[in-house]
């Protein structure tokens, strides 16, 4: 908690002129120009982080959301100050938003620190915005609440419901396979994203919203309402009101978060069949809170919790179905026997108290399943290790092909996402469905860890009806993607990890039941190849150079080393 003697409101974080009284006087003078008088300035101040951008279609409803949050702050007697930060949209940001997640986190943290506010409401939505804001909130350590823009509602094409981006990929694969025409893919393109909001499947954005809620950094019921609903606005207003109470309580994210919060988050992640990206984000947030989180924790959660939520890409439904079925409060009630109920919420309650009035799933719906009738077995998301990933890798088992979970095949190697894009469809490579496609140069140091891991099926195989193959990389994949895809191999190839040693034709073993991913070459050959490795060339300047020099590996959250001292070094 913040100290009782700390200055509050407009008197916090004074501009440094060597004369605090002068600083206060000057602040009042400049704020008078915006119409604020001394009575206004006695109120608690709530900063409201605004991530609107014309480039971020997922945040198109942000202005309305920000006004709703501000209305809530005013209703509760606070004074709202909205301020912008960079905004990251998955689809319009090159080479990948992951390269900028830490930049957004750093900018948000510093702006929270630099400007006077007693609490902050962080309005995000698209994939990297929510984890970046949570990382920032933990490090800035003032009272904070997350609000998201909410998901899009589903589209429709020829009587079939459509959702970004699982169905984007499904139809694109059909188009590459020659099953649908140019005109048809254009019609699909126009129907995939019919409203404002984030992707309406259980992709990274929806997953991170659910995790913010279970971790107590979002008011109950805030994750699931679609962007266009009145509930979305009501939640924003309620968050504004709650932020004023939080400002007075001075309860910070570090007070709220505990190891139990993160273990609960992993259980929700598995239950919703959520995005593999969330594992990296949770690890980064945990390290900032001085809490250790590992793939063993994920496997422990995965062992206990089955798939309970029927949302694409692991199931068939969409976020609006999850919302109508009761959303996170209903899911948490279902998971209650498996959760750490002593974990806290920003409202100051324990999870046990917060769940008192929640209802388990009704039998009038099928989207949220009870533990007694789960949608799938345990283990929807699991950590792997082995000679190809000594420090870990992950696979979304629930979105993989069961017949490929135990597979041996020859490697076909791509040096980078660009190399794959150029050569993958070349019939001269003679790739068969038994091949294992290996992508390197897609880790954090090499290229900011793009979502390139779910390589497309080579077109000539797609035309023969092949829809899945084993793919292995040090990159990520979109939370909306599916297939037998091993991701986040650590150490990455650019750091000299074993992925850098693979050659075309090497035998690769994937054995998900044994949690293994192995390169089957002998040690002498491995050592010989190691001597030929060359360190990667770093970007010449700017953020990209700083990032490549300081980014931590995926198993440590891919934060920057100087921003995340981690559990052992944290004070
Ligand atoms: Fe923004 Fe999917 S692109 S959430």
């Amino acid at each position: 908690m913040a100290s009782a003697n700390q200055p509050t409101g407009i008197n916090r974080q004074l501009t440094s002129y060597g004369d605090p009284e002068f600083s206060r006087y000057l602040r009042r003078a400049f704020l008078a120009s915006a119409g604020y008088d001394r009575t206004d300035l006695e109120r608690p101040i709530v900063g409201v982080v605004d991530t609107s951008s014309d480039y971020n279609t997922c945040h198109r409803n942000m202005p309305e959301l920000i006004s709703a949050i501000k209305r809530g702050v005013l209703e509760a007697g606070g004074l709202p100050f909205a301020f912008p930060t960079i905004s990251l949209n998955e689809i319009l940001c090159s080479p990948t938003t992951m390269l900028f997640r830490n930049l957004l986190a750093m900018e948000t943290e510093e702006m929270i620190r630099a400007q006077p506010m007693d609490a902050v409401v962080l309005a995000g939505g698209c994939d990297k915005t929510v984890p970046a804001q949570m990382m920032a909130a933990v490090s800035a350590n003032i009272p904070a609440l997350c609000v998201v823009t909410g998901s899009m509602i589903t589209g429709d094409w020829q009587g079939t419901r459509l959702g970004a981006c699982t169905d984007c990929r499904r139809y694109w694969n059909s188009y590459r396979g020659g099953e649908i025409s140019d005109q048809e893919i254009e019609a699909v393109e126009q129907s995939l994203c019919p409203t404002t909001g984030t992707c309406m499947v259980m992709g990274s954005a929806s997953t991170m919203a659910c995790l913010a809620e279970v971790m107590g950094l979002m008011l109950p019921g805030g994750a699931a309402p679609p962007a266009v609903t009145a509930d979305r606005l009501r939640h924003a207003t309620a968050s504004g009101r709650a932020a004023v109470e939080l400002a007075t309580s001075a309860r910070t994210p570090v007070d709220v978060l505990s190891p139990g919060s993160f273990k609960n988050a992993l259980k929700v992640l598995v239950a919703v069949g959520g995005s593999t990206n969330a594992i990296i984000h949770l690890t980064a947030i945990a390290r900032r809170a001085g809490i250790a989180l590992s793939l063993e924790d994920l496997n422990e959660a995965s062992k206990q919790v089955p798939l309970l939520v029927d949302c694409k890409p692991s199931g068939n439904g969409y976020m609006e179905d999850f919302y109508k079925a009761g959303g996170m409060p209903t899911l948490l009630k279902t998971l209650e026997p498996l959760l750490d109920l002593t974990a806290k919420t920003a409202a100051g309650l324990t999870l046990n108290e917060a769940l008192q009035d929640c209802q388990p799933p009704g039998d009038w719906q099928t989207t949220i399943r009870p533990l007694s009738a789960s949608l799938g077995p345990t283990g929807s998301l699991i950590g792997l290790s082995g000679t190809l990933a000594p420090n870990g890798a992950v696979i979304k088992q629930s979105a993989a092909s069961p017949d490929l979970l135990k597979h041996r095949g020859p490697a076909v190697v791509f040096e980078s996402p660009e190399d794959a894009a150029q050569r993958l469809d070349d019939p001269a490579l003679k790739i068969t469905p038994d091949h294992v496609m290996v992508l390197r140069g897609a880790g954090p140091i090499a290229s900011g860890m793009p979502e390139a891991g779910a390589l497309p099926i080579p077109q000539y195989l797609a035309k023969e009806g092949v829809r899945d193959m084993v793919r292995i990389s040090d990159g990520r994949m979109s939370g909306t993607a599916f297939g037998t895809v091993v991701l986040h191999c650590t150490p990455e190839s650019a750091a000299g990890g074993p992925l850098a040693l693979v050659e075309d034709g090497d035998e690769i073993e994937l054995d998900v039941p044994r949690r293994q991913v192995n390169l089957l070459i002998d040690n002498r050959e491995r050592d010989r190849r190691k001597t030929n490795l060359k360190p990667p060339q770093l970007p010449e300047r700017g953020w990209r150079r700083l990032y490549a020099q300081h980014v931590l590996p995926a198993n440590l959250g891919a934060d920057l080393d100087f921003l995340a001292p981690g559990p052992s070094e944290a004070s």
Side-chain angles (χ1 to χ4, degrees):
M1 297 233 179
S3 140
N5 300 325
Q6 215 173 3
T8 57
I10 210 67
N11 297 317
R12 291 173 73 111
Q13 319 293 82
L14 288 181
T15 317
S16 180
Y17 293 115
D19 177 350
E21 268 316 312
F22 175 72
S23 300
R24 283 189 272 271
Y25 150 78
L26 217 49
R27 269 192 184 177
R28 290 191 297 269
F30 274 73
L31 285 166
S33 80
Y36 297 110
D37 62 20
R38 285 197 172 211
T39 308
D40 291 321
L41 299 182
E42 278 164 12
R43 297 174 176 214
I45 294 180
V46 176
V48 182
V49 178
D50 179 349
T51 47
S52 353
S53 159
D54 286 350
Y55 287 103
N56 200 340
T57 56
C58 305
H59 292 195
R60 187 160 57 81
N61 58 333
M62 184 69 69
E64 202 182 10
L65 211 58
I66 296 292
S67 339
I69 296 167
K70 288 168 91 170
R71 179 159 57 82
V73 172
L74 289 167
E75 283 171 6
L79 191 59
F81 280 105
F83 62 99
T85 63
I86 56 171
S87 185
L88 300 174
N89 179 271
E90 287 303 301
I91 314 298
L92 282 106
C93 193
S94 173
T96 167
T97 51
M98 189 62 182
L99 181 61
F100 305 105
R101 181 202 64 177
N102 300 339
L103 182 62
L104 172 56
M106 191 157 75
E107 183 204 20
T108 307
E109 174 189 343
E110 293 303 339
M111 287 301 99
I112 292 172
R113 278 191 206 289
Q115 303 173 118
M117 63 192 82
D118 301 298
V120 64
V121 180
L122 304 133
C126 196
D127 296 14
K128 305 303 177 298
T129 55
V130 177
Q133 291 179 332
M134 290 170 80
M135 290 159 73
V138 169
S139 296
N141 204 30
I142 69 164
L145 277 177
C146 294
V147 168
V148 291
T149 53
S151 57
M152 290 182 260
I153 58 167
T154 48
D156 178 274
W157 182 65
Q158 295 188 342
T160 303
R161 278 176 100 192
L162 292 185
C165 245
T166 306
D167 297 320
C168 315
R169 292 169 205 284
R170 194 160 57 82
Y171 280 96
W172 188 249
N173 290 344
S174 298
Y175 176 63
R176 280 174 57 85
E179 289 162 15
I180 61 174
S181 66
D182 287 349
Q183 288 78 11
E184 286 170 322
I185 195 70
E186 190 178 331
V188 168
E189 175 190 299
Q190 295 303 308
S191 309
L192 280 163
C193 302
T195 69
T196 180
T198 50
C199 291
M200 58 288 236
V201 297
M202 195 54 81
S204 300
S206 304
T207 303
M208 288 311 301
C210 293
L211 301 191
E213 186 170 331
V214 63
M215 290 162 76
L217 295 183
M218 176 186 283
L219 291 187
V228 296
T229 57
D231 265 355
R232 174 55 55 214
L233 290 173
R234 285 195 284 260
H235 176 261
T237 305
S239 301
R241 283 190 215 111
V244 178
E245 187 278 323
L246 256 185
T248 322
S249 77
R251 195 177 308 111
T252 71
V254 170
D255 300 322
V256 174
L257 297 173
S258 63
S261 319
F262 288 94
K263 290 185 178 161
N264 289 344
L266 287 173
K267 287 176 184 165
V268 167
L269 174 61
V270 173
V272 301
S275 167
T276 45
N277 293 322
I279 300 161
I280 302 179
H281 300 323
L282 277 178
T283 307
I285 299 162
R287 283 182 68 85
R288 285 188 174 218
I291 293 171
L293 201 67
S294 69
L295 286 181
E296 283 82 63
D297 294 313
L298 171 67
N299 284 342
E300 195 48 43
S302 212
K303 224 190 290 174
Q304 295 175 36
V305 181
L307 182 66
L308 293 176
V309 173
D310 187 9
C311 271
K312 292 186 175 193
S314 298
N316 285 311
Y318 296 90
M319 281 303 282
E320 66 196 78
D321 306 323
F322 180 54
Y323 160 63
K324 288 173 186 163
M328 281 297 288
T330 299
L331 177 64
L332 294 179
K333 194 68 182 173
T334 312
L335 283 171
E336 197 172 19
L338 300 174
L339 297 176
D340 179 346
L341 298 175
T342 64
K344 292 188 199 139
T345 67
L349 303 175
T350 62
L351 197 51
N352 187 35
E353 291 162 335
L355 291 179
Q356 283 310 307
D357 297 329
C358 297
Q359 298 302 316
D363 54 13
W364 47 268
Q365 60 81 47
T366 55
T367 304
I368 304 177
R369 309 290 173 93
L371 284 168
S372 57
S374 64
L375 191 68
T378 55
S380 66
L381 268 172
I382 53 175
L384 306 171
S385 63
T387 54
L388 205 43
N391 294 343
V394 299
I395 185 167
K396 190 184 226 177
Q397 195 173 196
S398 56
S401 302
D403 57 319
L404 289 174
L405 294 174
K406 245 171 111 62
H407 180 82
R408 276 188 185 205
V412 55
V413 182
F414 299 101
E415 295 298 332
S416 64
E418 295 72 31
D419 180 38
Q422 274 171 17
R423 293 195 301 127
L424 189 125
D425 287 333
D426 181 356
L429 286 182
K430 295 193 170 57
I431 301 175
T432 70
D434 279 343
H435 271 90
V436 174
M437 293 199 279
V438 173
L439 171 66
R440 58 184 170 225
I445 297 171
S447 52
M449 215 177 178
E451 291 183 341
L455 288 171
I457 303 299
Q459 194 158 24
Y460 49 96
L461 291 180
K463 285 189 172 156
E464 288 167 14
V466 177
R467 289 290 175 267
D468 194 11
M469 290 173 61
V470 176
R471 289 154 273 178
I472 299 178
S473 79
D474 46 12
R476 298 176 302 118
M477 76 172 181
S478 163
T480 63
F482 48 88
T484 311
V485 186
V486 177
L487 302 153
H488 314 175
C489 282
T490 315
E492 68 168 290
S493 54
L499 217 55
L501 308 177
V502 187
E503 293 182 359
D504 284 342
D506 286 347
E507 193 171 17
I508 306 261
E509 175 193 50
L510 174 64
D511 189 336
V512 176
R514 287 178 44 240
R515 312 272 192 264
Q516 286 287 302
V517 57
N518 291 309
L519 171 60
L520 303 177
I521 59 171
D522 67 38
N523 288 343
R524 213 155 357 130
E525 177 60 10
R526 182 184 305 269
D527 293 343
R528 185 191 70 75
R529 292 183 192 179
K530 256 189 199 162
T531 55
N532 295 331
L533 287 183
K534 294 190 186 72
Q537 234 190 342
L538 294 183
E540 265 180 25
R541 61 182 297 278
W543 169 253
R544 290 174 193 225
R545 185 172 176 83
L546 186 74
Y547 185 91
Q549 283 174 326
H550 291 281
V551 68
L552 291 167
N555 64 315
L556 299 181
D559 201 352
L560 300 186
D561 53 11
F562 57 86
L563 293 175
S568 51
E569 307 94 314
S571 54

